[in-house]
Amino acid sequence: MWTCPKCGREFERTNQGHYCGEAPKTVLEYIDSQPMEKHAHLTEMMIILQNSVPGVNERILWSMPYYEKEGKAISFSACKKHVSFYAGSEAIEKFALELNGFAAKKNAVYFPYDRALPAKLIENIAKWCLS
């Protein structure tokens, strides 16, 4: 067991990522709560998802940015070395060729901070998932 030195919560994994205290209420609050060096990627991801599908609803769910439309959803989260983009296993399978070169597992694709985000690909996946 590992205990967070800031909030005292116990976790099975050492250095488990979590929020100490209250979770952010907006995506901008979420981004602001992350280390400065992650802000550019997270802000770009937010803008891509906001603009990809008209009428998409943006909110925080499970302490991360969540986008939904008509019962369909995608989300993303900041991790230590990458942005995790949760699009679902069907989307990952459909866009497998375009995602070549990025790590992917089950329902998520990992976009590393040391590479530019593939904006058009993310837009296409969002449109496919939410339309």
Side-chain angles (χ1 to χ4, degrees):
M1 293 296 270
W2 174 74
T3 303
C4 175
K6 291 181 184 177
C7 68
R9 288 177 53 195
E10 290 187 351
F11 298 92
E12 289 185 25
R13 294 187 311 175
T14 301
N15 294 323
Q16 170 72 42
H18 68 283
Y19 288 100
C20 296
E22 194 173 324
K25 291 179 178 47
T26 67
V27 174
L28 287 176
E29 279 183 25
Y30 175 86
I31 292 169
D32 286 343
S33 73
Q34 302 301 318
M36 187 59 73
E37 63 272 10
K38 298 177 183 180
H39 284 200
H41 274 73
L42 299 174
T43 301
E44 184 179 2
M45 178 68 86
M46 175 190 72
I47 291 167
I48 293 167
L49 298 180
Q50 287 173 335
N51 296 326
S52 294
V53 179
V56 68
N57 295 314
E58 175 185 82
R59 65 184 176 130
I60 297 292
L61 190 64
W62 302 300
S63 297
M64 66 181 169
Y66 184 85
Y67 297 81
E68 63 185 339
K69 185 174 180 183
E70 299 172 0
K72 301 172 187 172
I74 55 177
S75 59
F76 71 90
S77 66
C79 297
K80 190 173 187 174
K81 296 182 180 182
H82 61 266
V83 177
S84 291
F85 179 46
Y86 303 96
S89 58
E90 291 178 2
I92 291 170
E93 187 176 313
K94 167 115 176 101
F95 292 92
L97 290 176
E98 293 95 326
L99 291 168
N100 190 21
F102 294 102
K105 292 183 182 175
K106 293 184 184 180
N107 67 339
V109 180
Y110 308 124
F111 297 117
Y113 294 117
D114 63 358
R115 289 176 61 185
L117 285 176
K120 189 63 178 170
L121 175 58
I122 294 168
E123 178 183 337
N124 291 340
I125 293 171
K127 286 179 179 178
W128 187 85
C129 289
L130 299 175
S131 298

